[in-house]
Amino acid sequence: MLLAIAFAIASLRLRHHKRAEGHGAARAGDDSMEDSHLLGPRSWVSSAHLACACLVVLSAAGRAAAQSTTHYGLLAGVVPRRHTAIGFDPQDQRLIMRGGMQTTGADYTGRFTDDSEWAAGTWLVHGSVGLAFTAKGMFVDTVRDRLMLWSVVPGQPTTLYAREGGDWRFVPTTSTPPFRRLSAIAFDERRGRAVLWGGSAGPAVLDVWEFDGNRWSSISAPGPTGRDDPGLAYDGVRGTVVLFGGRDVASGLVLADTWEWNGVAWTRLAPSRTPPARTGHSLTWDPSRRRVVLFGGGTGLPGTVFADTWEWDGADWNRIATAAAPPARTAHAAAFDPATRRVLVVCGEDNGGLLGDMWAFDGRDWTAVGECGPPGLLGHAAVYHAAEREVLLFGGRGFDGRPLNQTWRFHGASWARLRPPVSPAAREFHALAHDRGRARTVLFGGADGSQVFDDTWLFDGASWTRVNTLLRPSPRTGHAMAYDAVRGRVVLFGGLDAQGTFLGDTWEWDGSVWQLLQPPSSPPPRADHGMTYDAARNQVMLCSGRATAYLTDTWTFDGHTWTQRAITLPDGAHAGCAMEYDPDRRTVFLLGGQTGVGAWSNQVLLAWGGSAWTAAPTWTIPVPGPRSSASLAWDETMHRLVVYGGGSGWVGSSDTWFYTRGVAAVVTSLPPQAGCSGASLPTLSGFGQPVLGRRDFLLDLRHPDPPSPTGPVAFLLSSGTAGAGTRFGVCQLTVDPGSLFLSAVVQRTGTLASLTMSIPLARSLMGVQFTAQGVTVDPTNHALQGLTFSQGARVSIGDF
């Protein structure tokens, strides 16, 4: 029964023994799975995602009790932003992202306070501790081996934090630099000091501040003109800190000068080649190639944002020609990742709004390595694109009030931005419907703030195509569309034209042309109404909206005429609501909306079963707050309703919600078992969510005082929990050796070792539970033959 555990432990001891002899040392930052053992066929494999294959062998005994209640689930994640800060934590061997702004341009409100870690190909939200920061305010103190954050909040003293044990800890200092906006900071490895320069607090700030690990000191020295948003990085070739560009505070000019700071004085350099003048760019020291890498930035003028890559070799600037490049951007963040030996660029702002992608530069070319989710949106539209088996989202109003032309897909448990070669113009309050019979998503109308559109676009899963028809609906916004599956037509009703007139016409799209219908009966003109196809009753449904008053009526359309079905809603109007049909429940759901000017419905969700609207049951807290102009789509793959964005004001939210009968993903720590611990007890915890379709769930094993900082670690996973009599020496086990389905040996770096789990998008796994326990080498623990067992964890796989 203990064969698999003994097998893993033997491997653990063998690896520890080899490392003790100096053989096979792992490179820093490599926490991928090295060896794994499956019960059944005895084979060795090497895969960071082996756990996905192992999960399918779990028996029914590992499944949670079936749940029939309805739940709201929230998908947490990093959303696009600018002026965020990133850095590599040398203790945890992970890239950390902190904060950022949800606004664009010169608006410095709307700060994020989340703390995220990059793992398994995505950003995982780790917590929100309320710290603000300044742009480019994160650096690695290579002398003291810690990640540092310089935090700035207007009207408050500046503060310094160090990341230790996975948390930010305040660093007390006798003096601190005064407040400044858009300064830059870099760590001088030769002198072991952080160097802070630039920024403005009304006038430009000209003094240099340095932090030696204990205290700040101010140095006044003649040098560059006062500027904000410059680039600053350590130049390891010359052993100095190099500065490039920025915006002159006094004149507003964007600069292209190069300076270096040696700890005593500034020196202006005269390279033979230099990048164009810019601000908001990034400078990053790449120690593997001994180069400073410059990327992006802009001139501060509309439409002028760069996507070029330059390198500083200590004597001259050289432009690097790459086959691929990140989209042009400014106000992004950059850091060197020693685990992959690449320079990383993340987030930022382009001419179209905020960005949420991440790219890696290896000295030759750029590679896209990650994507966040859509920004906070109002007035966007989303629909399930059946041909691609994904939710498709387009457009909407961003945080800064500008419409966007971004196309996003949601598949399983994550968002990804699509970049089709052709795309509709930026817009908001347009309408989408999926023409299932022709495998095309249809877009019509909307507005961009200066004009109202009357164009028709089709999306085939790869690109948008504009269709020009002689006859088409007039320009409008706030209209609604639904696909009639029986008749194979997209039905459009109402909206608001450019003159502010509410419309009450009915149109149909047959895949080629628009046709204006003349039904004998029709709803009154309106905009911001909800509409969907009720497949259980073979009719298009329309509800609420606004005209000269906020409306509470419900109508159905059978292809010939409109029929009024209800006069009132349970709590009044729901203008700006979203509607969608749930085939599992044979029910139409209505989400959110406004009951009047500046008033939003407190009834989050209403249900229509064919005769009346009732409050839909919700059994978990929290639930989405009151909102209008959100999107609601039925995800056929996961059998759930997906809600994105919307708000109760002029700023949209960036949250993704599910309405499902599924099971919540839960990780529960089990109490330490008797006799397992050695000098100190390792802790095992889940990081991220064990959700169907996610590739980023981690089991983290942290050791407070590792006796072998680079030693191997074994993860043991079983479908059951051991009984009271199951022991290993004096230790009572948490995992059940008889149902062990995975034993994996990974490399620990510092205090952390992680097992990456890719959970398949298979509903058969929903509710499956398993137990995990970690084993580390501890030569001081003679009672357990030189080993220490962690406490256990119970993991329940859910769909939210």
PDB file of all heavy atoms in Angstrom, residues 75-81 122-123 347 354-357 370-377 393 399 406 408-410 414-417 644 654 656:
ATOM      1  N   LEU A  75     -14.966  35.044 -11.352  1.00  0.00           N
ATOM      2  CA  LEU A  75     -13.638  34.745 -11.871  1.00  0.00           C
ATOM      3  C   LEU A  75     -12.744  35.941 -11.591  1.00  0.00           C
ATOM      4  O   LEU A  75     -12.955  37.022 -12.126  1.00  0.00           O
ATOM      5  CB  LEU A  75     -13.693  34.477 -13.380  1.00  0.00           C
ATOM      6  CG  LEU A  75     -12.346  34.305 -14.077  1.00  0.00           C
ATOM      7  CD1 LEU A  75     -11.663  33.033 -13.609  1.00  0.00           C
ATOM      8  CD2 LEU A  75     -12.514  34.291 -15.582  1.00  0.00           C
ATOM      9  N   ALA A  76     -11.754  35.752 -10.726  1.00  0.00           N
ATOM     10  CA  ALA A  76     -10.835  36.835 -10.393  1.00  0.00           C
ATOM     11  C   ALA A  76      -9.644  36.799 -11.335  1.00  0.00           C
ATOM     12  O   ALA A  76      -9.186  35.738 -11.738  1.00  0.00           O
ATOM     13  CB  ALA A  76     -10.369  36.704  -8.944  1.00  0.00           C
ATOM     14  N   GLY A  77      -9.123  37.931 -11.678  1.00  0.00           N
ATOM     15  CA  GLY A  77      -7.958  37.982 -12.548  1.00  0.00           C
ATOM     16  C   GLY A  77      -7.486  39.400 -12.756  1.00  0.00           C
ATOM     17  O   GLY A  77      -8.175  40.364 -12.466  1.00  0.00           O
ATOM     18  N   VAL A  78      -6.277  39.529 -13.282  1.00  0.00           N
ATOM     19  CA  VAL A  78      -5.706  40.830 -13.570  1.00  0.00           C
ATOM     20  C   VAL A  78      -6.361  41.385 -14.826  1.00  0.00           C
ATOM     21  O   VAL A  78      -6.600  40.667 -15.789  1.00  0.00           O
ATOM     22  CB  VAL A  78      -4.186  40.709 -13.770  1.00  0.00           C
ATOM     23  CG1 VAL A  78      -3.597  42.001 -14.286  1.00  0.00           C
ATOM     24  CG2 VAL A  78      -3.523  40.324 -12.459  1.00  0.00           C
ATOM     25  N   VAL A  79      -6.683  42.651 -14.820  1.00  0.00           N
ATOM     26  CA  VAL A  79      -7.276  43.301 -15.983  1.00  0.00           C
ATOM     27  C   VAL A  79      -6.281  44.321 -16.543  1.00  0.00           C
ATOM     28  O   VAL A  79      -5.352  44.732 -15.857  1.00  0.00           O
ATOM     29  CB  VAL A  79      -8.606  43.992 -15.624  1.00  0.00           C
ATOM     30  CG1 VAL A  79      -9.627  42.977 -15.181  1.00  0.00           C
ATOM     31  CG2 VAL A  79      -8.402  45.041 -14.544  1.00  0.00           C
ATOM     32  N   PRO A  80      -6.438  44.727 -17.810  1.00  0.00           N
ATOM     33  CA  PRO A  80      -5.510  45.687 -18.408  1.00  0.00           C
ATOM     34  C   PRO A  80      -5.349  46.951 -17.573  1.00  0.00           C
ATOM     35  O   PRO A  80      -6.290  47.414 -16.932  1.00  0.00           O
ATOM     36  CB  PRO A  80      -6.163  45.985 -19.760  1.00  0.00           C
ATOM     37  CG  PRO A  80      -6.899  44.740 -20.082  1.00  0.00           C
ATOM     38  CD  PRO A  80      -7.432  44.248 -18.775  1.00  0.00           C
ATOM     39  N   ARG A  81      -4.159  47.519 -17.624  1.00  0.00           N
ATOM     40  CA  ARG A  81      -3.815  48.667 -16.790  1.00  0.00           C
ATOM     41  C   ARG A  81      -2.572  49.337 -17.330  1.00  0.00           C
ATOM     42  O   ARG A  81      -1.860  48.795 -18.166  1.00  0.00           O
ATOM     43  CB  ARG A  81      -3.584  48.213 -15.353  1.00  0.00           C
ATOM     44  CG  ARG A  81      -2.425  47.228 -15.208  1.00  0.00           C
ATOM     45  CD  ARG A  81      -2.433  46.530 -13.867  1.00  0.00           C
ATOM     46  NE  ARG A  81      -3.604  45.701 -13.706  1.00  0.00           N
ATOM     47  CZ  ARG A  81      -4.071  45.290 -12.526  1.00  0.00           C
ATOM     48  NH1 ARG A  81      -3.441  45.633 -11.415  1.00  0.00           N
ATOM     49  NH2 ARG A  81      -5.144  44.537 -12.451  1.00  0.00           N
ATOM     50  N   THR A 122      -0.005  32.486 -16.564  1.00  0.00           N
ATOM     51  CA  THR A 122      -1.038  33.496 -16.357  1.00  0.00           C
ATOM     52  C   THR A 122      -0.766  34.254 -15.068  1.00  0.00           C
ATOM     53  O   THR A 122       0.053  33.846 -14.248  1.00  0.00           O
ATOM     54  CB  THR A 122      -2.435  32.844 -16.316  1.00  0.00           C
ATOM     55  OG1 THR A 122      -3.432  33.859 -16.375  1.00  0.00           O
ATOM     56  CG2 THR A 122      -2.616  32.043 -15.040  1.00  0.00           C
ATOM     57  N   TRP A 123      -1.452  35.395 -14.910  1.00  0.00           N
ATOM     58  CA  TRP A 123      -1.356  36.169 -13.676  1.00  0.00           C
ATOM     59  C   TRP A 123      -2.407  35.672 -12.694  1.00  0.00           C
ATOM     60  O   TRP A 123      -3.578  35.548 -13.048  1.00  0.00           O
ATOM     61  CB  TRP A 123      -1.583  37.655 -13.951  1.00  0.00           C
ATOM     62  CG  TRP A 123      -0.456  38.304 -14.674  1.00  0.00           C
ATOM     63  CD1 TRP A 123      -0.415  38.648 -15.990  1.00  0.00           C
ATOM     64  CD2 TRP A 123       0.805  38.680 -14.120  1.00  0.00           C
ATOM     65  NE1 TRP A 123       0.793  39.217 -16.287  1.00  0.00           N
ATOM     66  CE2 TRP A 123       1.558  39.257 -15.163  1.00  0.00           C
ATOM     67  CE3 TRP A 123       1.370  38.597 -12.850  1.00  0.00           C
ATOM     68  CZ2 TRP A 123       2.843  39.741 -14.974  1.00  0.00           C
ATOM     69  CZ3 TRP A 123       2.645  39.084 -12.660  1.00  0.00           C
ATOM     70  CH2 TRP A 123       3.367  39.644 -13.709  1.00  0.00           C
ATOM     71  N   CYS A 347       1.420  44.990 -19.923  1.00  0.00           N
ATOM     72  CA  CYS A 347       0.384  46.014 -19.838  1.00  0.00           C
ATOM     73  C   CYS A 347       0.815  47.322 -20.510  1.00  0.00           C
ATOM     74  O   CYS A 347       1.662  47.333 -21.384  1.00  0.00           O
ATOM     75  CB  CYS A 347      -0.039  46.233 -18.392  1.00  0.00           C
ATOM     76  SG  CYS A 347      -0.839  44.806 -17.659  1.00  0.00           S
ATOM     77  N   LEU A 354      -6.277  50.686 -22.847  1.00  0.00           N
ATOM     78  CA  LEU A 354      -5.371  49.956 -21.972  1.00  0.00           C
ATOM     79  C   LEU A 354      -5.060  48.580 -22.542  1.00  0.00           C
ATOM     80  O   LEU A 354      -5.891  47.956 -23.204  1.00  0.00           O
ATOM     81  CB  LEU A 354      -5.991  49.813 -20.580  1.00  0.00           C
ATOM     82  CG  LEU A 354      -6.329  51.122 -19.870  1.00  0.00           C
ATOM     83  CD1 LEU A 354      -7.011  50.839 -18.546  1.00  0.00           C
ATOM     84  CD2 LEU A 354      -5.083  51.965 -19.650  1.00  0.00           C
ATOM     85  N   LEU A 355      -3.851  48.091 -22.242  1.00  0.00           N
ATOM     86  CA  LEU A 355      -3.401  46.786 -22.709  1.00  0.00           C
ATOM     87  C   LEU A 355      -3.229  45.849 -21.520  1.00  0.00           C
ATOM     88  O   LEU A 355      -2.930  46.286 -20.410  1.00  0.00           O
ATOM     89  CB  LEU A 355      -2.074  46.920 -23.455  1.00  0.00           C
ATOM     90  CG  LEU A 355      -2.112  47.796 -24.721  1.00  0.00           C
ATOM     91  CD1 LEU A 355      -0.697  48.083 -25.199  1.00  0.00           C
ATOM     92  CD2 LEU A 355      -2.920  47.123 -25.805  1.00  0.00           C
ATOM     93  N   GLY A 356      -3.388  44.545 -21.785  1.00  0.00           N
ATOM     94  CA  GLY A 356      -3.250  43.557 -20.722  1.00  0.00           C
ATOM     95  C   GLY A 356      -2.423  42.363 -21.121  1.00  0.00           C
ATOM     96  O   GLY A 356      -2.579  41.290 -20.554  1.00  0.00           O
ATOM     97  N   ASP A 357      -1.538  42.522 -22.115  1.00  0.00           N
ATOM     98  CA  ASP A 357      -0.734  41.400 -22.579  1.00  0.00           C
ATOM     99  C   ASP A 357       0.664  41.438 -21.976  1.00  0.00           C
ATOM    100  O   ASP A 357       1.060  42.408 -21.342  1.00  0.00           O
ATOM    101  CB  ASP A 357      -0.659  41.402 -24.112  1.00  0.00           C
ATOM    102  CG  ASP A 357      -0.213  42.761 -24.663  1.00  0.00           C
ATOM    103  OD1 ASP A 357      -0.117  43.725 -23.875  1.00  0.00           O
ATOM    104  OD2 ASP A 357       0.035  42.853 -25.872  1.00  0.00           O
ATOM    105  N   GLY A 370       1.488  35.957 -22.593  1.00  0.00           N
ATOM    106  CA  GLY A 370       0.328  35.980 -21.700  1.00  0.00           C
ATOM    107  C   GLY A 370      -0.613  37.114 -22.029  1.00  0.00           C
ATOM    108  O   GLY A 370      -0.267  38.075 -22.707  1.00  0.00           O
ATOM    109  N   GLU A 371      -1.823  36.975 -21.541  1.00  0.00           N
ATOM    110  CA  GLU A 371      -2.869  37.966 -21.765  1.00  0.00           C
ATOM    111  C   GLU A 371      -3.702  38.067 -20.505  1.00  0.00           C
ATOM    112  O   GLU A 371      -3.970  37.073 -19.835  1.00  0.00           O
ATOM    113  CB  GLU A 371      -3.758  37.534 -22.926  1.00  0.00           C
ATOM    114  CG  GLU A 371      -4.743  38.590 -23.377  1.00  0.00           C
ATOM    115  CD  GLU A 371      -4.142  39.561 -24.376  1.00  0.00           C
ATOM    116  OE1 GLU A 371      -3.551  39.129 -25.368  1.00  0.00           O
ATOM    117  OE2 GLU A 371      -4.275  40.775 -24.149  1.00  0.00           O
ATOM    118  N   CYS A 372      -4.122  39.272 -20.166  1.00  0.00           N
ATOM    119  CA  CYS A 372      -5.030  39.450 -19.040  1.00  0.00           C
ATOM    120  C   CYS A 372      -6.465  39.364 -19.565  1.00  0.00           C
ATOM    121  O   CYS A 372      -6.746  38.618 -20.479  1.00  0.00           O
ATOM    122  CB  CYS A 372      -4.758  40.777 -18.356  1.00  0.00           C
ATOM    123  SG  CYS A 372      -3.065  40.944 -17.740  1.00  0.00           S
ATOM    124  N   GLY A 373      -7.360  40.128 -19.021  1.00  0.00           N
ATOM    125  CA  GLY A 373      -8.736  40.115 -19.479  1.00  0.00           C
ATOM    126  C   GLY A 373      -9.130  41.463 -20.032  1.00  0.00           C
ATOM    127  O   GLY A 373      -8.328  42.392 -20.081  1.00  0.00           O
ATOM    128  N   PRO A 374     -10.370  41.604 -20.468  1.00  0.00           N
ATOM    129  CA  PRO A 374     -10.813  42.899 -20.993  1.00  0.00           C
ATOM    130  C   PRO A 374     -10.773  43.962 -19.905  1.00  0.00           C
ATOM    131  O   PRO A 374     -10.816  43.654 -18.710  1.00  0.00           O
ATOM    132  CB  PRO A 374     -12.267  42.618 -21.425  1.00  0.00           C
ATOM    133  CG  PRO A 374     -12.382  41.133 -21.511  1.00  0.00           C
ATOM    134  CD  PRO A 374     -11.422  40.587 -20.511  1.00  0.00           C
ATOM    135  N   PRO A 375     -10.701  45.226 -20.313  1.00  0.00           N
ATOM    136  CA  PRO A 375     -10.791  46.292 -19.318  1.00  0.00           C
ATOM    137  C   PRO A 375     -12.219  46.428 -18.819  1.00  0.00           C
ATOM    138  O   PRO A 375     -13.133  45.767 -19.333  1.00  0.00           O
ATOM    139  CB  PRO A 375     -10.355  47.530 -20.113  1.00  0.00           C
ATOM    140  CG  PRO A 375     -10.756  47.215 -21.516  1.00  0.00           C
ATOM    141  CD  PRO A 375     -10.552  45.734 -21.679  1.00  0.00           C
ATOM    142  N   GLY A 376     -12.417  47.264 -17.819  1.00  0.00           N
ATOM    143  CA  GLY A 376     -13.775  47.526 -17.376  1.00  0.00           C
ATOM    144  C   GLY A 376     -14.590  48.151 -18.505  1.00  0.00           C
ATOM    145  O   GLY A 376     -14.137  49.088 -19.144  1.00  0.00           O
ATOM    146  N   LEU A 377     -15.776  47.630 -18.741  1.00  0.00           N
ATOM    147  CA  LEU A 377     -16.541  48.030 -19.916  1.00  0.00           C
ATOM    148  C   LEU A 377     -17.991  48.341 -19.584  1.00  0.00           C
ATOM    149  O   LEU A 377     -18.592  47.722 -18.701  1.00  0.00           O
ATOM    150  CB  LEU A 377     -16.520  46.917 -20.970  1.00  0.00           C
ATOM    151  CG  LEU A 377     -15.179  46.585 -21.617  1.00  0.00           C
ATOM    152  CD1 LEU A 377     -15.306  45.375 -22.508  1.00  0.00           C
ATOM    153  CD2 LEU A 377     -14.647  47.779 -22.408  1.00  0.00           C
ATOM    154  N   LEU A 393     -16.709  38.732 -27.341  1.00  0.00           N
ATOM    155  CA  LEU A 393     -17.027  40.064 -26.824  1.00  0.00           C
ATOM    156  C   LEU A 393     -16.383  41.103 -27.728  1.00  0.00           C
ATOM    157  O   LEU A 393     -15.230  40.948 -28.151  1.00  0.00           O
ATOM    158  CB  LEU A 393     -16.536  40.209 -25.388  1.00  0.00           C
ATOM    159  CG  LEU A 393     -16.817  41.524 -24.644  1.00  0.00           C
ATOM    160  CD1 LEU A 393     -16.929  41.260 -23.150  1.00  0.00           C
ATOM    161  CD2 LEU A 393     -15.726  42.572 -24.887  1.00  0.00           C
ATOM    162  N   PHE A 399     -12.541  52.574 -19.269  1.00  0.00           N
ATOM    163  CA  PHE A 399     -12.525  53.346 -18.027  1.00  0.00           C
ATOM    164  C   PHE A 399     -12.474  54.851 -18.272  1.00  0.00           C
ATOM    165  O   PHE A 399     -12.988  55.635 -17.483  1.00  0.00           O
ATOM    166  CB  PHE A 399     -11.317  52.946 -17.178  1.00  0.00           C
ATOM    167  CG  PHE A 399     -11.513  51.677 -16.412  1.00  0.00           C
ATOM    168  CD1 PHE A 399     -10.730  50.571 -16.670  1.00  0.00           C
ATOM    169  CD2 PHE A 399     -12.481  51.584 -15.432  1.00  0.00           C
ATOM    170  CE1 PHE A 399     -10.904  49.398 -15.964  1.00  0.00           C
ATOM    171  CE2 PHE A 399     -12.662  50.410 -14.729  1.00  0.00           C
ATOM    172  CZ  PHE A 399     -11.871  49.314 -14.991  1.00  0.00           C
ATOM    173  N   GLN A 406     -11.789  46.465 -29.423  1.00  0.00           N
ATOM    174  CA  GLN A 406     -11.120  45.215 -29.076  1.00  0.00           C
ATOM    175  C   GLN A 406     -12.084  44.029 -29.186  1.00  0.00           C
ATOM    176  O   GLN A 406     -13.258  44.121 -28.817  1.00  0.00           O
ATOM    177  CB  GLN A 406     -10.557  45.297 -27.664  1.00  0.00           C
ATOM    178  CG  GLN A 406      -9.507  46.377 -27.477  1.00  0.00           C
ATOM    179  CD  GLN A 406      -9.044  46.496 -26.040  1.00  0.00           C
ATOM    180  OE1 GLN A 406      -9.511  45.775 -25.156  1.00  0.00           O
ATOM    181  NE2 GLN A 406      -8.121  47.416 -25.795  1.00  0.00           N
ATOM    182  N   TRP A 408     -12.511  40.091 -27.924  1.00  0.00           N
ATOM    183  CA  TRP A 408     -12.058  39.152 -26.903  1.00  0.00           C
ATOM    184  C   TRP A 408     -12.818  37.834 -27.018  1.00  0.00           C
ATOM    185  O   TRP A 408     -13.973  37.805 -27.449  1.00  0.00           O
ATOM    186  CB  TRP A 408     -12.285  39.726 -25.498  1.00  0.00           C
ATOM    187  CG  TRP A 408     -11.413  40.905 -25.173  1.00  0.00           C
ATOM    188  CD1 TRP A 408     -11.623  42.212 -25.520  1.00  0.00           C
ATOM    189  CD2 TRP A 408     -10.185  40.880 -24.436  1.00  0.00           C
ATOM    190  NE1 TRP A 408     -10.601  43.000 -25.047  1.00  0.00           N
ATOM    191  CE2 TRP A 408      -9.709  42.215 -24.384  1.00  0.00           C
ATOM    192  CE3 TRP A 408      -9.451  39.874 -23.818  1.00  0.00           C
ATOM    193  CZ2 TRP A 408      -8.532  42.550 -23.729  1.00  0.00           C
ATOM    194  CZ3 TRP A 408      -8.286  40.211 -23.165  1.00  0.00           C
ATOM    195  CH2 TRP A 408      -7.826  41.542 -23.123  1.00  0.00           C
ATOM    196  N   ARG A 409     -12.167  36.762 -26.614  1.00  0.00           N
ATOM    197  CA  ARG A 409     -12.815  35.450 -26.542  1.00  0.00           C
ATOM    198  C   ARG A 409     -12.713  34.926 -25.115  1.00  0.00           C
ATOM    199  O   ARG A 409     -11.716  35.175 -24.417  1.00  0.00           O
ATOM    200  CB  ARG A 409     -12.174  34.445 -27.498  1.00  0.00           C
ATOM    201  CG  ARG A 409     -10.725  34.135 -27.161  1.00  0.00           C
ATOM    202  CD  ARG A 409     -10.096  33.171 -28.141  1.00  0.00           C
ATOM    203  NE  ARG A 409     -10.598  31.832 -27.989  1.00  0.00           N
ATOM    204  CZ  ARG A 409     -10.042  30.902 -27.216  1.00  0.00           C
ATOM    205  NH1 ARG A 409      -8.965  31.193 -26.491  1.00  0.00           N
ATOM    206  NH2 ARG A 409     -10.536  29.701 -27.149  1.00  0.00           N
ATOM    207  N   PHE A 410     -13.730  34.218 -24.670  1.00  0.00           N
ATOM    208  CA  PHE A 410     -13.706  33.582 -23.353  1.00  0.00           C
ATOM    209  C   PHE A 410     -13.972  32.097 -23.561  1.00  0.00           C
ATOM    210  O   PHE A 410     -15.014  31.704 -24.091  1.00  0.00           O
ATOM    211  CB  PHE A 410     -14.772  34.182 -22.437  1.00  0.00           C
ATOM    212  CG  PHE A 410     -14.747  33.601 -21.046  1.00  0.00           C
ATOM    213  CD1 PHE A 410     -13.830  34.056 -20.123  1.00  0.00           C
ATOM    214  CD2 PHE A 410     -15.627  32.606 -20.672  1.00  0.00           C
ATOM    215  CE1 PHE A 410     -13.786  33.519 -18.836  1.00  0.00           C
ATOM    216  CE2 PHE A 410     -15.593  32.061 -19.398  1.00  0.00           C
ATOM    217  CZ  PHE A 410     -14.669  32.524 -18.483  1.00  0.00           C
ATOM    218  N   SER A 414     -10.837  31.523 -18.961  1.00  0.00           N
ATOM    219  CA  SER A 414      -9.914  32.639 -19.155  1.00  0.00           C
ATOM    220  C   SER A 414     -10.281  33.418 -20.408  1.00  0.00           C
ATOM    221  O   SER A 414     -10.854  32.890 -21.356  1.00  0.00           O
ATOM    222  CB  SER A 414      -8.470  32.126 -19.265  1.00  0.00           C
ATOM    223  OG  SER A 414      -8.330  31.274 -20.384  1.00  0.00           O
ATOM    224  N   TRP A 415      -9.906  34.710 -20.383  1.00  0.00           N
ATOM    225  CA  TRP A 415     -10.095  35.604 -21.514  1.00  0.00           C
ATOM    226  C   TRP A 415      -8.815  35.669 -22.336  1.00  0.00           C
ATOM    227  O   TRP A 415      -7.714  35.564 -21.801  1.00  0.00           O
ATOM    228  CB  TRP A 415     -10.433  37.014 -21.038  1.00  0.00           C
ATOM    229  CG  TRP A 415     -11.804  37.187 -20.466  1.00  0.00           C
ATOM    230  CD1 TRP A 415     -12.154  37.178 -19.147  1.00  0.00           C
ATOM    231  CD2 TRP A 415     -13.012  37.398 -21.200  1.00  0.00           C
ATOM    232  NE1 TRP A 415     -13.508  37.369 -19.013  1.00  0.00           N
ATOM    233  CE2 TRP A 415     -14.066  37.516 -20.257  1.00  0.00           C
ATOM    234  CE3 TRP A 415     -13.318  37.501 -22.564  1.00  0.00           C
ATOM    235  CZ2 TRP A 415     -15.377  37.728 -20.637  1.00  0.00           C
ATOM    236  CZ3 TRP A 415     -14.621  37.711 -22.941  1.00  0.00           C
ATOM    237  CH2 TRP A 415     -15.646  37.825 -21.979  1.00  0.00           C
ATOM    238  N   ALA A 416      -8.961  35.864 -23.634  1.00  0.00           N
ATOM    239  CA  ALA A 416      -7.819  36.100 -24.509  1.00  0.00           C
ATOM    240  C   ALA A 416      -8.229  37.138 -25.550  1.00  0.00           C
ATOM    241  O   ALA A 416      -9.322  37.051 -26.125  1.00  0.00           O
ATOM    242  CB  ALA A 416      -7.360  34.817 -25.195  1.00  0.00           C
ATOM    243  N   ARG A 417      -7.378  38.097 -25.769  1.00  0.00           N
ATOM    244  CA  ARG A 417      -7.678  39.121 -26.771  1.00  0.00           C
ATOM    245  C   ARG A 417      -7.314  38.605 -28.160  1.00  0.00           C
ATOM    246  O   ARG A 417      -6.206  38.103 -28.384  1.00  0.00           O
ATOM    247  CB  ARG A 417      -6.927  40.411 -26.475  1.00  0.00           C
ATOM    248  CG  ARG A 417      -7.283  41.529 -27.456  1.00  0.00           C
ATOM    249  CD  ARG A 417      -6.611  42.836 -27.106  1.00  0.00           C
ATOM    250  NE  ARG A 417      -6.834  43.836 -28.137  1.00  0.00           N
ATOM    251  CZ  ARG A 417      -6.323  45.057 -28.112  1.00  0.00           C
ATOM    252  NH1 ARG A 417      -5.564  45.431 -27.091  1.00  0.00           N
ATOM    253  NH2 ARG A 417      -6.557  45.907 -29.082  1.00  0.00           N
ATOM    254  N   TYR A 644     -20.266  39.723 -17.996  1.00  0.00           N
ATOM    255  CA  TYR A 644     -19.063  40.551 -17.958  1.00  0.00           C
ATOM    256  C   TYR A 644     -19.427  42.025 -17.923  1.00  0.00           C
ATOM    257  O   TYR A 644     -20.281  42.504 -18.675  1.00  0.00           O
ATOM    258  CB  TYR A 644     -18.143  40.316 -19.164  1.00  0.00           C
ATOM    259  CG  TYR A 644     -16.836  41.052 -18.979  1.00  0.00           C
ATOM    260  CD1 TYR A 644     -15.837  40.496 -18.194  1.00  0.00           C
ATOM    261  CD2 TYR A 644     -16.648  42.320 -19.496  1.00  0.00           C
ATOM    262  CE1 TYR A 644     -14.671  41.188 -17.953  1.00  0.00           C
ATOM    263  CE2 TYR A 644     -15.477  43.030 -19.259  1.00  0.00           C
ATOM    264  CZ  TYR A 644     -14.492  42.449 -18.482  1.00  0.00           C
ATOM    265  OH  TYR A 644     -13.341  43.138 -18.222  1.00  0.00           O
ATOM    266  N   SER A 654     -14.804  45.338 -14.373  1.00  0.00           N
ATOM    267  CA  SER A 654     -13.987  44.381 -15.123  1.00  0.00           C
ATOM    268  C   SER A 654     -14.116  42.985 -14.535  1.00  0.00           C
ATOM    269  O   SER A 654     -13.194  42.183 -14.616  1.00  0.00           O
ATOM    270  CB  SER A 654     -12.518  44.824 -15.117  1.00  0.00           C
ATOM    271  OG  SER A 654     -12.070  44.991 -13.776  1.00  0.00           O
ATOM    272  N   THR A 656     -15.848  39.156 -14.114  1.00  0.00           N
ATOM    273  CA  THR A 656     -16.517  38.080 -14.845  1.00  0.00           C
ATOM    274  C   THR A 656     -17.247  37.202 -13.840  1.00  0.00           C
ATOM    275  O   THR A 656     -16.639  36.692 -12.897  1.00  0.00           O
ATOM    276  CB  THR A 656     -15.510  37.233 -15.626  1.00  0.00           C
ATOM    277  OG1 THR A 656     -14.773  38.081 -16.514  1.00  0.00           O
ATOM    278  CG2 THR A 656     -16.216  36.152 -16.433  1.00  0.00           C
TER     279      THR A 656
END
